[in-house]
Amino acid sequence: MNSIKLSKRQEEILHIVREDGPITGKQIADRLSLTRATLRPDLAILTMAGNLEAKPRVGYFINPQSAFKQDAASLASQLVGDYKAHPIVVPKSASVYDAIVQIFLEDVGTLYAVDKNGQLAGVISRKDLLRAAIGNSNLEELPVSVIMTRMPNVITVSPDETLLEAGKKLIQNHIDSLPVVREVDQENQLYEVIGRITKTTITRAYVELLDY
Ligand code: ADP
């Protein structure tokens, strides 16, 4: 459905029907200052392609199935780089105690640990911190590097991947967040952290795109 490329006029028709449907062919023609006859082929194409439905004495309206597919496609094709949030980063030498304080101060669920060159070294989640806190009394002496999930086991995403790809990585790996990275050295797998994508990021994009 809707695999054909639409003309500018067909896009305009869809816009009018989306805003004001159900609407008659005559009313659409008036809005575009065209005759009903000029518009007829476009309406026929849009109806056959499955974008529009028509009911006698009611008019044209958006085919709900096609609207859903268009919304889903537009959500899936959004880029990580346009939605990424600010990453909260700590040195890998930081203590577990400081990491717990950071999680509360920054109101995040995951921290990213970096080495002394500022490159991604690991990921520390809330449960990593809870686990460390249960067994240890001296959290100020325990560095996060001991308890974090380390590179190269960290799942990352690049800014030019889509939200759909990011969402799949979250679901398939049972994790809440992905560091958005830029590669600085492919051979040695060195990455600079430039953002984060979380389940909240994806939920927000979903709401923003569909709440029109
Ligand atoms: P929580 O543990 O707070 O529920 P997650 O589900 O994100 O949060 O984390 C589960 C485990 O996966 C933790 O041990 C964490 O270190 C690890 N983890 C989190 N994010 C990633 C990631 N992007 N790549 C690899 N491991 C991760």
Side-chain angles (χ1 to χ4, degrees), residues 6-144:
L6 300 181
S7 69
K8 186 161 177 294
R9 187 193 287 163
Q10 289 161 359
E11 293 284 4
E12 279 171 355
I13 295 170
L14 283 183
H15 180 72
I16 291 171
V17 180
R18 204 172 287 125
E19 296 282 302
D20 294 323
I23 180 169
T24 65
K26 170 83 173 69
Q27 287 167 321
I28 301 172
D30 290 346
R31 292 273 294 272
L32 293 171
S33 306
L34 296 168
T35 65
R36 177 80 182 80
T38 313
L39 213 56
R40 197 164 290 129
D42 288 317
L43 289 171
I45 287 170
L46 289 171
T47 310
M48 275 188 308
N51 299 77
L52 291 185
E53 283 187 23
K55 270 198 194 138
R57 282 182 298 281
V58 175
Y60 290 92
F61 54 95
I62 297 282
N63 174 350
Q65 220 186 339
S66 128
F68 178 77
K69 283 195 176 183
Q70 281 170 25
D71 288 342
S74 103
L75 176 65
S77 63
Q78 303 297 312
L79 294 181
V80 160
D82 295 329
Y83 285 89
K84 65 181 166 40
H86 181 66
I88 307 302
V89 167
V90 293
K92 67 176 188 179
S93 57
S95 70
V96 167
Y97 182 92
D98 285 344
I100 293 172
V101 172
Q102 277 296 87
I103 283 230
F104 279 101
L105 283 180
E106 301 287 351
D107 195 17
V108 288
T110 312
L111 299 171
Y112 305 133
V114 291
D115 62 22
K116 56 183 184 323
N117 299 318
Q119 277 137 14
L120 179 63
V123 167
I124 310 136
S125 78
R126 275 180 289 219
K127 249 182 265 154
D128 293 333
L129 293 170
L130 277 176
R131 198 181 301 116
I134 286 176
N136 290 279
S137 52
N138 200 351
L139 300 180
E140 285 175 69
E141 296 296 324
L142 183 63
V144 289

Side-chain angles (χ1 to χ4, degrees), residues 123 125-128 149 153-155 174-179:
V123 167
S125 78
R126 275 180 289 219
K127 249 182 265 154
D128 293 333
T149 299
N153 298 324
V154 175
I155 316 288
H174 307 280
I175 49 180
D176 293 346
S177 108
L178 296 167

Side-chain angles (χ1 to χ4, degrees), residues 84 118-120 156-159 179-186 189-195:
K84 65 181 166 40
Q119 277 137 14
L120 179 63
T156 61
V157 69
S158 79
V180 182
V181 296
R182 191 182 295 129
E183 200 171 61
V184 274
D185 179 342
Q186 189 178 15
Q189 291 206 329
L190 297 181
Y191 299 99
E192 179 193 356
V193 185
I194 59 169

